[in-house]
Each structure stands twice: as structure tokens, then as C-alpha cells.
Amino acid sequence: MGCHENITFDKFPKQGPNLGKLVEVIFHYDTSKKIKGRIVRDDYEEPGRTIIALDDGRYVEAVECQYSILHFP
């Protein structure tokens, strides 16, 4: 547990431009196993976390995987 000055009951870090974007995620650079997800947190300021909600219900931090933004026309 801990505390961070940018996260309080009524304060949260500014969010970046990738918030809400659909992504494709892989682990350990293994492109044979991909899963889709959505970025649910994209801190634009400290503490600088990016969190992805995977389609199977799991959540991962960006530092735990590799991901790319899915672009649709």
C-alpha cells in the first residue's frame, strides 16, 4: 500500500491521448499468442502508469507486456 500526491479521493493524474484506445497485447515478444484489450489508464503525469483491461477480464500494466494501438478506418 502507499500514497501518491497526484492520487487522492478527488484528484487523479491527467490522462494521456491513448486512454480508451483498443490495443493488441502480447507477452514475452511471443507474437503467436495475441489478445485484445483497452487502455483504461494512461497517466500523463506522475506516477506514469498505463493499465490495460484485457478482453478475458485480466488487467496488466504496460511494463508487463508489449502492446500496439489498433487503428481502424
Side-chain angles (χ1 to χ4, degrees):
M1 290 197 197
C3 299
H4 194 282
E5 64 185 47
N6 283 343
I7 300 175
T8 66
F9 180 81
D10 58 355
K11 183 180 175 190
F12 204 70
K14 291 179 186 175
Q15 296 298 289
N18 291 327
L19 183 66
K21 298 258 176 103
L22 294 174
V23 294
E24 188 169 70
V25 176
I26 62 172
F27 297 92
H28 299 276
Y29 303 97
D30 181 359
T31 58
S32 71
K33 297 175 185 169
K34 300 177 183 180
I35 186 168
K36 290 190 171 90
R38 182 177 300 272
I39 295 178
V40 295
R41 181 168 164 181
D42 183 33
D43 293 356
Y44 209 60
E45 56 188 14
E46 291 295 322
R49 303 251 198 268
T50 297
I51 299 175
I52 301 167
L54 300 176
D55 284 355
D56 65 3
R58 294 179 293 163
Y59 287 75
V60 294
E61 290 191 63
V63 299
E64 300 169 331
C65 64
Q66 298 78 51
Y67 70 94
S68 58
I69 305 291
L70 293 175
H71 299 281
F72 297 100

